[in-house]
Amino acid sequence: MAMTLQVLYPLGPDTTFDYDYYAKKHFPIVQDAMGAFISSVHVVRGLAGGTGTAPEFHAIATMNFETQEALESALKASGPALADIPNFTNVQPQMLIGETLD
């Protein structure tokens, strides 16, 4: 069964997020550490939480995996990516592991 790992970066009054660093430096670190196991990645920059509502997240990254084993291998290899998080944000990301339903 196909699996996903979503990394959600909450937005709050005192949170910071360097989108330029995230795109230009963090993405390559994720690719180097985990890319062999990821089938695709989709990243969304938060703009709104609905009409006239502020977003609740700076960004959400969704990584897709063909199997549970690929996801587990990626998680085992994720150390460099996790260690890089303080270089672009001061928030603790939330993570959601799930099965794709489509």
Side-chain angles (χ1 to χ4, degrees):
M1 176 162 291
M3 303 292 292
T4 63
L5 169 62
Q6 291 184 295
V7 184
L8 303 90
Y9 297 93
L11 192 153
D14 297 321
T15 62
T16 59
F17 196 94
D18 183 339
Y19 293 98
D20 190 54
Y21 183 97
Y22 184 63
K24 293 180 181 173
K25 298 194 177 176
H26 186 67
F27 285 1
I29 292 170
V30 171
Q31 182 62 35
D32 288 346
M34 304 165 64
F37 310 106
I38 298 170
S39 59
S40 66
V41 177
H42 184 80
V43 179
V44 176
R45 179 178 180 162
L47 298 178
T51 304
T53 311
E56 293 188 32
F57 299 96
H58 289 283
I60 300 174
T62 302
M63 291 167 265
N64 297 293
F65 303 89
E66 292 183 13
T67 64
Q68 174 75 31
E69 293 76 21
L71 169 64
E72 290 170 3
S73 295
L75 290 172
K76 288 178 186 172
S78 67
L82 295 174
D84 187 54
I85 292 171
N87 291 321
F88 62 89
T89 186
N90 65 348
V91 301
Q92 178 66 39
Q94 299 173 11
M95 294 190 187
L96 174 65
I97 295 171
E99 296 176 344
T100 57
L101 298 178
D102 52 357

